[in-house]
């Protein structure tokens, strides 16, 4: 095995990993970034609409309003201390991105331009606010490029196309990671004092998703196997507007610019479901509305999709109806949403300036994941006990700033705010600790697992198992779930796991770029996360945020103001997963209000029913 | 639902298998294909249903990550952005040219990224930050001057379609120039001179013979040749202002 030693090992080179790398380097640490993709291929580059920050460049705004929206959007499962940090540090982080050269669109006053986005309001829900800072509809692309450019400038070490496959732990302390060099198939050990997982989400557990093929949850699954519980896995966001059947995302920015959702009768149905903010209600609300319209036969031509309409005539009609004097034209749409138009023209042959777009909910974002505190330190139980040397940030982490449902633009904020905090914390941590020695058998277990997959003589092809997993997740653990559907999913997933461990076979026996082998290994990660998702969802007998149960339609604050934690029991091959529900939600902003003696009806941060 | 039969001819090579270590063609037939299926999905079907050893890079599947540049019927493109209806029932797929093939459709991208890194592809501004602690100011019109080149996803479609690059791999290539352009014409940046000096050298912009392959090859519709022309002008004039005329590229 090849050996490397760096104080800080960052796994993943999306927005979170790169931000952490910049800050850990700046803090004086010796850093290596290990990524299975070239950094610029990371899915942060797919983010479209914007990054939220209460800059107030267009209308009055304050971080406390941003925190409020984040908590309400999260259906009050959001840890309030995390939401506060996110909202306050968003401002500095966005300014910092501008100083790194990010080409934001500009206001007439030459400041960073902002647009409206679902669930973002002024003065605790009073009216929609322009908070999403944007660079056309490729904000994520510009963030990813800009951060990578700064890493080149600062000469950060990169190990591109190295896939991390295990975490090395010695006596409860982090000691490094094991990675496969994809170009050669060889195993490498990275000995480190601190490891940060920034491996992104796992939307590929579902069949209709906005996520890249590479989003297979590797980091989360690895952590789970090494004793870290997964927090709030039942909360996976379905974005309301994926391109019909393909799942490619159409940003909420389309609705932010005035686009509306219409059913088969041409009705703007969100007026019914969210009378005040309508099409810009939070995502879980809009996805359920689409689902309900379709279920009631009002999908377009009776199919499972509705229309998203950004044609200027339609948009202007509703502007007029609402008494706004804003008007848009074709050129405006072209300049604000060029990529969206390109996707629709390429994949659908539909020109959104002339025709509405067919959309349906698409599996989009993991609210749950590796539990961390606000310094990106991984915690391993309900008492927030820190695991020494282990960190996580970005979509794979659960801070939890997003609670039961993330607001649009808040993931990009999460990446830069908590990536930065993680980077700083690691730089400080590695100065004060010795190297944890590598155990003698470091890497042996995962090497054996790879040998097993490679030599499998069974009859199941990984893609067949993957298709079956994605289908059962879409059908049974989707926008709506019930006890029956989830139990069905768990049963099917257990069977798939059985086949995965006892009956698998692959074609490619080589070592160089053996993508057949790597895909099979990734499937193992997804099968685990899918089952943990279904098990966690079964336990939570209420509906909250993105977790909507037909059999428990109401939110139940008396029993469920807690985060779930799912632990692997025994080897992943036969684990049953133990899910607990006793990690309390941080309610510090509300506690403050009570301590100040605010009367009940003035307490903004007290959990209450959500109305949009 | 049309139900097409499509024949793929794929250029393959596997350094680990004697006899297959030299490039060769292999045919695959797929049935049940929709005209709107993407070429990437079809390559996946071949890999998953017929031959797991077929190797390629991909990630986002909708044209934003730049992983899956390849030659499809002789033209550079991202496999995830080409629909079957655009290329017909007989489809030839090869690795991009000018970079060493590692396995099947996977080429060694390191020379490409080395060129990219050589043009100082990062923002430089050493002025003290604004006193109000806020962003530097820029007009939208100034931002629009380099908007087009910010779209680059480093897929290499342009560079590997360029005969000058094929002839001489030391040429930095169109993609690196596009990346430099993005900073050279950014009014906030302060290192234009250094970048122009780099690009004025032997393996810089003057190796571009305006053959124009790069522009139609760009899956992001960047006006690559125009951008290279603007960099050439800036070198000749020794300054960057007054060169870029903003035209709205998105007129369909
Ligand atoms: C289409 C789309 C649009 C979006 N739009 C917005 C938006 O407008 N605003 C917003 O706030 N959010 C948006 N989001 C969400 C947001 O983009 C993502 O949540 C976020 O970018 C995730 O970033 P990350 O750094 O955590 O991970 P990613 O950017 O996904 O990066 C993951 C990294 O981990 C690496 N990796 C993974 N596994 C391994 C392994 N085993 N070994 C080594 N490396 C590994 C990969 O190579 C990659 O570098 C959008 C998401 C999608 C899908
Ligand atoms: S797979 Fe990302 S560009 Fe094609």
């Amino acid at each position: 095995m090849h050996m490397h030693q760096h104080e800080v090992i960052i796994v993943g080179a999306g927005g979170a990993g790169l931000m952490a790398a910049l800050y850990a380097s700046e803090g004086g640490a010796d850093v290596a970034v290990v990524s299975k993709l070239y950094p610029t291929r990371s899915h942060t580059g797919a983010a479209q609409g914007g990054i939220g920050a209460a800059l107030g460049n267009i209308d009055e705004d304050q971080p406390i309003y941003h925190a409020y929206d984040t908590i309400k959007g999260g259906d009050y499962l959001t840890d309030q201390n995390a939401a506060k940090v996110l909202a306050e540090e968003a401002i500095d982080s966005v300014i910092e991105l501008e100083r790194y050269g990010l080409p934001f669109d500009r206001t007439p006053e030459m400041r960073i331009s902002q647009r409206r986005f679902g669930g973002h309001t002024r003065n605790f829900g009073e009216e929609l606010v322009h908070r999403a800072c944007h660079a056309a509809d490729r904000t994520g692309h510009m963030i990813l490029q800009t951060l990578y450019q700064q890493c080149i400038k600062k000469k950060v070490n990169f190990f591109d196309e190295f896939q991390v496959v295990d975490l090395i732990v010695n006596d409860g302390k982090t000691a490094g990671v094991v990675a496969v060099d994809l170009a050669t198939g060889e195993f490498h050990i990275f000995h480190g004092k601190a490891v940060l997982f920034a491996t992104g989400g796992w939307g590929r557990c579902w069949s209709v998703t906005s996520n890249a093929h590479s989003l297979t949850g590797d980091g989360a699954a690895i952590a789970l196997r090494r004793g870290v519980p997964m927090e709030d896995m039942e909360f996976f966001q379905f974005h309301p507007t994926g391109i019909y059947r393909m799942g490619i995302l159409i940003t909420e920015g389309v609705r932010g610019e005035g686009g509306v959702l219409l059913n088969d009768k041409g009705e703007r149905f969100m007026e019914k479901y969210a009378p005040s903010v309508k099409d810009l209600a939070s995502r879980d609300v809009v996805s359920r509305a689409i689902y309900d319209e379709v279920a009631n036969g009002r999908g377009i031509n009776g199919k499972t999709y509705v229309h998203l309409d950004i044609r200027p005539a339609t948009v202007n009609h509703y502007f007029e109806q609402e008494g706004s004097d804003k008007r848009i034209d074709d050129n405006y749409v072209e300049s604000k949403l060029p990529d969206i138009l390109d996707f629709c023209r390429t994949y659908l042959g539909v020109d959104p300036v002339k025709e509405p777009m067919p959309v349906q909910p698409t599996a989009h974002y993991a609210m749950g994941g590796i539990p961390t505190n606000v310094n990106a330190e991984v915690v391993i139980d309900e008492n927030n006990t820190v695991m020494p040397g282990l960190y996580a940030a970005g979509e794979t982490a659960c801070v939890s700033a997003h609670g039961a449902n993330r607001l649009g633009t808040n993931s990009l904020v999460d990446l830069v705010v908590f990536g930065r905090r993680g980077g700083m914390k690691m730089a400080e941590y590695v100065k004060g600790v010795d190297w944890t020695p590598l155990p003698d058998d470091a890497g042996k277990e995962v090497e054996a697992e790879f040998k097993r997959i490679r030599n499998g003589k069974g009859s199941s092809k990984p893609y067949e198992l993957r298709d079956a997993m994605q289908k059962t997740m879409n059908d049974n653990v989707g926008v709506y779930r019930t006890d029956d559907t989830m139990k069905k999913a768990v049963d099917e997933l257990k069977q798939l796991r059985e086949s995965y461990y006892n009956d698998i076979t692959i074609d490619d026996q080589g070592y160089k770029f053996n993508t057949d082998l790597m895909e099979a290994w990734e499937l193992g990660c997804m099968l685990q996360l899918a089952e943990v998702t279904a098990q966690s969802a079964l336990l939570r007998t209420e509906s909250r945020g993105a977790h909507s149960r037909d059999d428990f339609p109401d939110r139940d604050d008396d029993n469920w103001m807690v985060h779930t934690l799912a632990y692997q029991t025994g080897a992943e091959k036969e684990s049953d997963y133990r899910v607990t529900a006793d990690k309390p939600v941080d309610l510090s902003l509300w506690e403050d209000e009570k301590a100040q003696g605010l009367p009940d009806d003035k307490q903004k941060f007290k959990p209450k029913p959500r109305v949009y | 639902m049309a139900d097409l039969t499509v024949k793929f001819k794929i250029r393959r090579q596997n350094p680990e298998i004697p006899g297959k270590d030299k490039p060769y063609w292999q045919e695959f037939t797929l049935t049940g294909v929709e005209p709107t299926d993407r070429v990437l999905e079809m390559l996946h079907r071949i890999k998953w249903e017929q031959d797991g050893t077929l190797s390629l890079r991909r990630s986002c599947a909708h044209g934003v990550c730049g992983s899956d540049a390849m030659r499809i019927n002789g033209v550079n493109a991202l496999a995830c952005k080409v629909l079957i209806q655009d290329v017909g029932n007989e489809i030839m797929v090869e690795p991009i040219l000018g970079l060493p093939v590692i396995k099947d459709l996977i080429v060694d991208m390191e020379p490409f990224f080395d060129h990219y890194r050589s043009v100082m592809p990062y923002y430089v501004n050493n002025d003290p930050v604004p006193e109000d602690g806020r962003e530097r100011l820029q007009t939208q019109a100034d931002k629009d001057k380099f908007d087009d080149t910010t779209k680059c996803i480093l897929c290499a479609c342009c560079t590997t379609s360029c005969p000058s690059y094929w002839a001489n791999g030391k040429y930095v290539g169109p993609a690196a120039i596009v990346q430099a352009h993005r900073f050279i014409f950014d009014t906030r940046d302060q290192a234009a001179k250094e970048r122009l000096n780099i690009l004025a050298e032997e393996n810089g912009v003057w190796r571009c013979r305006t053959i124009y392959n790069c522009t139609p090859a760009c899956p992001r519709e960047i006006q690559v040749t125009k951008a290279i022309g603007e960099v050439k002008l800036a070198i000749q004039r020794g300054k960057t202002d007054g060169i870029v005329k903003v035209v709205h590229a998105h007129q369909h």
Side-chain angles (χ1 to χ4, degrees):
Chain A
M1 273 200 221
H2 301 261
M3 302 292 291
H4 308 260
Q5 197 180 51
H6 296 276
E7 288 174 318
V8 170
I9 318 276
I10 291 171
V11 186
L18 294 177
M19 196 71 182
L22 283 173
Y23 269 85
S25 307
E26 215 134 89
D30 164 32
V31 179
V33 182
V34 184
S35 175
K36 69 177 177 181
L37 303 173
Y38 273 104
T40 58
R41 315 289 188 226
S42 306
H43 213 53
T44 293
Q48 303 165 353
I51 174 167
L55 300 180
N57 283 353
I58 294 188
D59 38 25
E60 196 250 324
D61 201 0
Q62 290 178 22
I64 196 73
Y65 302 157
H66 187 181
Y68 169 83
D69 291 336
T70 302
I71 291 163
K72 177 180 172 189
D75 220 352
Y76 296 92
L77 196 73
T78 304
D79 282 333
Q80 300 193 348
N81 59 335
K84 181 164 183 274
V85 166
L86 176 115
E88 284 174 353
E89 296 184 12
I91 296 183
D92 261 5
S93 305
V94 166
I95 297 297
E96 178 154 39
L97 290 171
E98 196 280 332
R99 301 229 177 102
Y100 285 159
L102 199 141
F104 282 110
D105 286 325
R106 298 287 169 156
T107 65
E109 297 75 35
M110 299 188 260
R111 297 205 169 270
I112 294 170
S113 177
Q114 300 183 278
R115 62 163 61 115
R116 301 187 305 178
F117 239 77
H120 288 284
T121 68
R122 179 187 18 260
N123 205 8
F124 309 104
E126 209 170 85
E127 59 182 319
L128 290 163
V129 70
H130 294 76
R131 186 178 290 148
C133 310
H134 57 88
D137 52 359
R138 51 175 185 281
T139 313
H141 165 75
M142 293 324 321
I143 291 178
L144 185 65
Q145 294 281 327
T146 302
L147 293 178
Y148 184 52
Q149 291 154 1
Q150 290 299 307
C151 284
I152 295 176
K153 187 174 176 188
K154 307 233 160 79
K155 304 204 163 55
V156 173
N157 290 311
F158 281 95
F159 291 84
D160 296 336
E161 300 194 317
F162 275 65
Q163 184 155 358
V164 170
V165 291
D166 203 1
L167 172 69
I168 307 171
V169 181
N170 198 351
D171 201 17
K173 291 203 192 90
T174 308
V177 297
V178 186
V180 176
D181 176 359
L182 298 179
T184 63
E186 290 170 334
F187 285 85
H188 289 243
I189 285 184
F190 289 81
H191 187 196
K193 291 181 176 179
V195 170
L196 179 133
F197 279 115
T199 48
W202 44 91
R204 285 282 154 180
C205 290
W206 286 263
S207 48
V208 177
T209 177
S210 64
N211 282 197
H213 285 285
S214 55
L215 289 173
T216 51
D218 307 4
I222 290 169
L224 178 63
R225 290 168 188 172
R226 292 293 164 197
V228 177
M230 294 290 111
E231 181 170 337
D232 288 345
M233 290 294 280
E234 62 275 31
F235 299 104
F236 199 92
Q237 180 172 78
F238 293 83
H239 191 293
T241 58
I243 293 183
Y244 177 49
R245 292 199 306 167
M246 274 185 273
I248 298 172
L249 196 79
I250 302 294
T251 174
E252 205 164 293
V254 170
R255 285 170 283 141
E257 298 291 357
V260 292
L261 290 161
L262 303 172
N263 65 17
D264 195 42
K265 295 183 162 153
E267 293 162 339
R268 185 184 186 186
F269 56 86
M270 283 313 298
E271 287 173 341
K272 264 184 321 205
Y273 298 89
S276 129
V277 296
K278 305 186 185 81
D279 299 85
L280 287 171
S282 73
R283 290 174 178 174
D284 53 335
V285 174
V286 183
S287 282
R288 278 193 291 276
I290 294 177
Y291 192 94
D292 291 346
E293 287 298 302
V294 166
N296 288 308
R298 292 190 292 272
I300 306 296
N301 298 326
K303 298 225 176 84
T304 57
Y305 66 90
V306 295
H307 274 150
L308 172 60
D309 198 340
I310 185 72
R311 288 178 298 181
T314 311
V315 173
N316 291 335
H317 165 75
Y318 286 106
F319 278 155
E320 194 175 339
Q321 208 178 69
E322 285 163 10
S324 152
D325 42 15
K326 188 168 174 190
R327 298 290 178 270
I328 63 169
D329 59 15
D330 289 8
N331 268 334
Y332 180 87
V333 180
E334 299 274 1
S335 70
K336 293 287 181 184
L337 302 162
D339 280 6
I340 297 302
L341 302 192
D342 181 47
F343 296 151
C344 291
R345 287 167 179 150
T346 303
Y347 296 116
L348 295 167
V350 163
D351 187 345
V353 180
K354 302 202 178 68
E355 295 160 84
M357 302 167 251
V359 295
Q360 74 178 148
T362 183
H364 184 59
Y365 183 85
M367 270 75 70
I370 304 174
T372 71
N373 60 25
V374 292
N375 291 317
E377 294 168 303
V378 171
V379 299
I380 50 173
D381 58 25
E382 66 277 11
N383 303 318
N384 290 308
T385 306
V386 168
M387 171 154 168
L390 192 61
Y391 298 76
E395 189 169 337
T396 204
C398 177
V399 183
S400 139
H402 310 304
N405 171 64
R406 172 175 71 79
L407 282 194
T409 81
N410 266 357
S411 172
L412 294 175
V413 185
D414 178 338
L415 309 183
V416 289
V417 167
F418 295 105
R420 175 162 88 160
R421 283 179 157 247
M424 292 199 272
K425 193 75 198 171
M426 286 191 291
E428 180 190 311
Y429 172 81
V430 298
K431 278 187 205 139
V433 295
D434 281 335
W435 295 90
T436 299
L438 290 169
D440 294 339
D441 61 349
K444 290 287 180 291
E445 202 179 319
V446 72
E447 209 176 17
E449 171 63 2
F450 270 80
K451 204 168 269 164
R452 177 192 73 76
I453 300 173
R454 182 190 289 281
N455 295 338
K457 295 280 180 297
S459 60
S460 305
K461 294 269 190 152
Y463 86 90
E464 295 166 340
L465 304 181
R466 190 178 52 224
D467 282 356
M469 168 194 70
Q470 291 172 336
K471 184 165 185 326
T472 194
M473 290 302 279
N474 243 65
D475 293 350
N476 300 315
V477 198
V479 174
Y480 281 105
R481 325 80 202 245
T482 66
D483 194 67
D484 287 348
T485 65
M486 290 184 286
K487 283 197 173 126
K488 186 158 178 271
V490 170
D491 285 346
E492 288 181 15
L493 290 167
K494 283 202 191 309
Q495 276 172 27
L496 294 171
R497 174 169 66 176
E498 183 73 20
S499 309
Y500 179 78
Y501 283 104
N502 299 308
D503 184 43
I504 209 164
T505 180
I506 63 169
D507 292 345
D508 197 337
Q509 293 299 314
Y511 289 86
K512 298 188 173 181
F513 277 106
N514 190 339
T515 52
D516 204 18
L517 178 64
M518 298 317 295
E519 278 185 24
W521 179 81
E522 289 171 343
L523 171 63
C525 295
M526 288 192 288
L527 281 171
Q528 255 193 301
L529 298 180
E531 192 176 332
V532 167
T533 302
Q535 295 277 24
S536 305
L538 260 173
L539 188 73
R540 188 176 284 274
T541 47
E542 64 157 354
S543 288
R544 182 187 297 272
H547 174 65
S548 315
R549 293 183 60 148
D550 282 333
D551 45 357
F552 295 93
D554 299 318
R555 198 174 86 190
D556 174 2
D557 287 354
D558 291 339
N559 295 302
W560 285 103
M561 284 296 289
V562 282
H563 300 289
T564 57
L565 291 175
Y567 299 80
Q568 178 174 310
T569 54
E572 55 261 28
K573 211 171 149 155
E574 59 233 352
S575 170
D576 245 339
Y577 303 106
R578 180 168 61 88
V579 190
T580 63
D582 40 25
K583 188 181 185 217
V585 176
D586 179 284
L587 298 169
S588 46
L589 293 174
W590 181 34
E591 306 293 341
D592 290 350
E593 289 180 328
K594 285 193 284 189
Q596 286 161 19
L598 283 184
D600 222 50
D601 60 334
K602 292 266 159 21
Q603 293 167 8
K604 303 290 186 202
F605 293 96
K606 177 186 171 158
K608 46 182 110 35
R610 275 194 310 171
V611 185
Y612 278 105
Chain B
M1 290 227 172
D3 189 354
L4 307 174
T5 297
V6 176
K7 222 178 7 211
F8 275 86
K9 225 174 123 185
I10 301 178
R11 189 77 165 161
R12 304 200 58 182
Q13 185 171 353
N14 186 335
E16 293 177 286
I17 302 182
K20 293 190 169 175
D21 50 349
K22 298 270 170 325
Y24 66 100
W25 291 100
Q26 187 173 359
E27 287 191 7
F28 298 91
T29 304
L30 287 176
T31 55
V33 177
E34 298 282 326
T36 52
D37 281 339
R38 292 164 262 185
V39 169
L40 177 64
E41 289 174 287
M42 297 304 100
L43 294 173
H44 271 150
R45 274 190 57 194
I46 293 171
K47 178 177 181 62
W48 295 337
E49 297 166 14
Q50 302 188 24
D51 183 353
T53 68
L54 179 66
S55 303
L56 59 138
R57 291 190 180 98
R58 89 286 185 262
S59 183
C60 73
H62 65 284
V64 296
C65 79
S67 296
D68 58 343
M70 49 190 83
R71 264 165 87 82
I72 300 173
N73 284 351
V75 178
N76 278 5
L78 300 171
C80 65
K81 274 198 97 173
V82 179
L83 307 190
I84 299 300
Q85 66 194 19
D86 303 332
V87 284
N89 301 2
E90 292 197 14
I91 303 172
M92 228 167 65
V93 184
E94 304 161 79
I96 42 179
L97 299 179
L99 293 167
V101 176
I102 301 178
K103 182 179 179 186
D104 294 341
L105 301 168
I106 298 178
V107 300
D108 180 3
M109 294 295 290
E110 280 308 308
F112 174 81
F113 279 104
D114 283 343
H115 286 314
Y116 161 70
R117 285 186 284 258
S118 76
V119 299
M120 300 175 67
Y122 42 78
Y123 176 78
V124 178
N125 183 324
N126 299 318
D127 286 348
V129 297
E131 266 169 27
D132 62 357
R134 301 298 294 263
E135 67 268 48
R136 294 185 203 283
L137 303 180
Q138 184 172 45
T139 64
Q140 182 68 27
D142 277 343
K143 193 241 146 171
D144 285 343
K145 287 182 185 153
F146 64 99
D147 187 68
D148 199 36
T149 44
T150 64
K151 294 189 300 195
C152 175
I153 54 175
L154 294 164
C155 65
C157 278
C158 59
T159 296
T160 62
S161 73
C162 172
S164 299
Y165 183 73
W166 297 337
N168 182 349
K170 288 192 179 140
Y171 168 37
V172 293
I177 303 173
V178 160
Q179 287 286 339
H181 178 284
R182 175 254 169 275
F183 293 101
I184 290 169
F185 294 99
D186 185 339
T187 49
R188 300 167 302 167
D189 181 88
Q190 298 174 333
K193 227 186 204 104
E194 281 135 283
R195 289 191 202 92
L196 290 173
N197 284 341
I198 295 169
L199 290 172
E201 281 172 19
E202 191 189 346
N203 293 311
V205 286
W206 306 116
R207 291 216 178 263
C208 164
R209 304 277 189 268
T210 334
I211 298 164
Y212 203 69
N213 276 9
C214 52
T215 303
C218 177
R220 305 283 294 152
E221 294 178 30
I222 297 170
Q223 300 301 304
V224 183
T225 314
K226 176 171 175 277
I228 297 175
E230 287 161 355
V231 174
K232 287 177 176 170
L233 259 183
I235 292 173
Q236 282 167 334
R237 294 192 189 161
K239 59 178 188 140
T240 56
D241 43 335
I243 290 178
V244 181
K245 310 266 175 305
V246 176
V247 290
H248 283 281
H250 308 289
Q251 305 292 336
H252 287 260

